[in-house]
């Protein structure tokens, strides 16, 4: 049974040279490490995709490093420029890119789109009212062939970076 983990990047600095170049704050770095440890212990993704923005790549890289420490593997973060400023269909393209043999995949991006994707995938869950920085929506799927709208209600969790 495959697992799909959709994530919002950890807490970012309020300013940067551009929005695209904003980095994670100290709290955000701690959140990303905490989330990475949890993901590595519980699921160990074989696919990791991130928006190309700095804060999402930093968040995704913390997850990749945690997974590789736990598994001894060589998971690499794939950057997807369409996830920055893109819509639900861009996320669906990323989901469709997951190899059929993968047992777990992690995708990290931005609000409000990530919450919209959760609602698009799971009609029963709907769009989460609050999907704060460093939140995850974890879908346990019977297969990768589940149609959007028919995904089960995900487990939603947030990390505080404590």
């Amino acid at each position: 049974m495959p697992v799909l983990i959709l994530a919002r990047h950890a807490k970012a600095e309020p300013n940067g040279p551009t929005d695209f170049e904003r980095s994670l704050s100290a709290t955000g770095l701690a959140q990303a490490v905490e989330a990475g440890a949890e993901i590595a212990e519980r699921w160990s993704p074989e696919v990791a995709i991130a928006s190309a923005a700095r804060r999402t790549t930093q968040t995704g890289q913390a997850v990749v490093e945690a997974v590789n420490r736990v598994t001894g593997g060589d998971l690499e973060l794939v950057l997807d420029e369409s996830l920055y400023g893109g819509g639900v269909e861009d996320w669906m393209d990323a989901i469709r890119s997951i190899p059929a043999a993968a047992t777990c995949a992690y995708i990290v991006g931005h609000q409000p789109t990530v919450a919209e994707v959760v609602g698009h995938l799971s009609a029963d869950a709907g769009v989460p009212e609050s999907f704060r920085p460093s939140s995850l929506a974890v879908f346990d799927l019977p297969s990768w062939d589940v149609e959007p709208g028919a995904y089960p209600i995900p487990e939603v969790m947030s990390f505080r970076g404590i």
Side-chain angles (χ1 to χ4, degrees):
M1 291 187 29
V3 174
L4 176 63
I5 303 167
L6 303 183
R8 180 179 178 189
H9 63 78
K11 186 165 180 55
E13 293 288 349
N15 299 306
T18 65
D19 180 66
F20 189 83
E21 297 171 292
R22 285 192 306 136
S23 293
L24 293 180
S25 66
T27 298
L29 288 168
Q31 289 172 330
V33 167
E34 183 183 1
E38 180 79 9
I39 290 167
E41 285 297 322
R42 290 184 64 185
W43 301 289
S44 294
E46 300 150 304
V47 175
I49 303 170
S51 155
R54 181 173 292 148
R55 61 195 178 273
T56 49
T57 60
Q58 289 174 311
T59 302
Q61 194 58 44
V63 170
V64 165
E65 288 170 8
V67 168
N68 287 339
R69 268 193 308 278
V70 168
T71 66
D74 59 354
L75 178 63
E76 292 186 20
L77 187 64
V78 174
L79 302 184
D80 185 335
E81 292 192 18
S82 72
L83 297 181
Y84 178 77
V88 170
E89 194 53 40
D90 296 297
W91 279 73
M92 295 309 301
D93 288 344
I95 292 167
R96 286 189 287 269
S97 77
I98 298 166
T103 59
C104 182
Y106 166 83
I107 305 175
V108 59
H110 309 270
Q111 268 297 77
T113 310
V114 65
E116 293 169 357
V117 172
V118 170
H120 178 74
L121 294 174
S122 176
D124 290 340
V127 176
E129 287 183 31
S130 174
F131 205 74
R132 58 184 293 279
S134 200
S135 289
L136 306 176
V138 182
F139 294 94
D140 285 311
L141 302 170
S143 75
W144 289 117
D145 296 328
V146 178
E147 290 294 320
Y151 277 49
I153 294 174
E155 176 183 2
V156 177
M157 60 186 71
S158 296
F159 298 89
R160 303 228 180 255
I162 298 172

